[in-house]
Amino acid sequence: MEDRTPPRGTVTQRAIEQIKALITEGRLQPGERLPTERDLAVQLGLSRSSMREAVRALTVLGILEARHGSGIYVTQLRAGDLLETFGAVADLSRGAQLVELLEVRRVLESAATALAAARIDEAQLAEVTRHLRAMEESQDPDEVLAHDLAFHRAIVAASGNASMAAILEGLSSETFRARVWRGYEQEGAFERTRREHARIHSALVARDPEAARAAAAAHVGEVEEWLRSQQGSRPQD
């Protein structure tokens, strides 16, 4: 007799989609506790093992969270929580895929910087300025890297778009940035990248979105070109 039992992965995927449907339809709200595993399995017509696997997968994705001794809850569904696992993409990417990610970052970061130029307040601008000055004054590559990361994060935060900020955080691998800074140090390119940061800062001070967009795109574009040159000399990267 032919075995008509559906593949386990298919059943688990169906469980995942059904739980997500409960959330998107508003039957489970952010922060709300799920029914017990047994009750939810009965409600959705699924086995408890499939339900358990679905809950585990949705927890990894940041949609659900397990609270010890309390149960399983829907998270607040913030963009940063849902996109947290995206941070591994840039760290693990190599070669042409990493160039593609930089192209995405160039588009999004230039848009975020343009938004920041229109929305940034004085306190946020002061933070951006502080990190710029620290980059200009330091000769320590590790310290410069730390302020470079903080400089860009402060700008993206000032855009006021949490979803864009979460995506860009995933595209801003600290490991990759450290590699870029080491390369720039060897090439004597610190001054060039400092000028690029200064242009971004000037556009923010001027509250000029288009100048900010262009300056950010040029800055990330320089990193793209550097990476392509590295690929030419190091095919294994």
Side-chain angles (χ1 to χ4, degrees):
M1 180 182 294
E2 183 182 355
D3 183 2
R4 297 182 179 275
T5 303
R8 189 164 193 78
T10 302
V11 177
T12 301
Q13 186 60 40
R14 183 156 60 92
I16 290 170
E17 294 304 321
Q18 286 182 275
I19 295 172
K20 286 167 61 179
L22 292 177
I23 297 169
T24 57
E25 293 167 7
R27 288 187 280 168
L28 283 173
Q29 296 291 330
E32 185 176 344
R33 184 181 182 277
L34 267 66
T36 65
E37 181 184 280
R38 183 187 63 184
D39 290 346
L40 190 57
V42 169
Q43 178 182 336
L44 299 179
L46 298 165
S47 70
R48 292 181 66 176
S49 61
S50 296
M51 187 60 58
R52 193 176 301 119
E53 290 176 13
V55 167
R56 188 179 299 119
L58 291 169
T59 300
V60 170
L61 292 172
I63 296 172
L64 301 177
E65 63 176 336
R67 299 181 188 174
H68 184 67
S70 178
I72 306 297
Y73 290 77
V74 181
T75 68
Q76 293 302 318
L77 304 177
R78 292 182 291 261
D81 296 329
L82 298 176
L83 294 168
E84 186 176 355
T85 55
F86 188 57
V89 175
D91 277 333
L92 299 176
S93 295
R94 294 290 182 271
Q97 185 179 5
L98 191 51
V99 174
E100 289 180 357
L101 290 177
L102 277 170
E103 290 175 346
V104 175
R105 182 185 152 205
R106 173 164 46 84
V107 172
L108 292 180
E109 191 154 324
S110 58
T113 307
L115 285 173
R119 298 173 176 177
I120 196 165
D121 62 31
E122 290 302 324
Q124 291 169 325
L125 184 58
E127 183 182 0
V128 173
T129 303
R130 179 171 66 83
H131 292 301
L132 176 67
R133 297 292 174 250
M135 278 190 283
E136 291 173 339
E137 294 167 5
S138 178
Q139 297 301 316
D140 180 345
D142 291 335
E143 189 174 324
V144 172
L145 171 61
H147 286 289
D148 173 58
L149 283 164
F151 174 85
H152 289 287
R153 282 173 178 155
I155 292 171
V156 173
S159 75
N161 188 314
S163 297
M164 191 180 294
I167 294 170
L168 282 167
E169 185 68 22
L171 293 172
S172 300
S173 161
E174 186 170 353
T175 301
F176 175 68
R177 282 179 183 261
R179 178 183 162 200
V180 171
W181 277 110
R182 286 195 301 271
Y184 279 6
E185 184 181 24
Q186 292 167 2
E187 297 172 8
F190 267 11
E191 288 307 315
R192 183 187 70 202
T193 196
R194 283 182 171 125
R195 288 195 298 271
E196 292 166 4
H197 285 116
R199 290 191 190 100
I200 294 171
H201 178 260
S202 295
L204 295 175
V205 171
R207 305 308 204 270
D208 186 335
E210 289 312 310
R213 185 192 307 276
H219 175 54
V220 182
E222 286 289 343
V223 179
E224 279 183 56
E225 291 305 312
W226 177 85
L227 180 58
R228 287 191 175 95
S229 73
Q230 293 295 298
Q231 284 187 282
S233 60
R234 300 178 185 177
Q236 73 276 17
D237 282 351

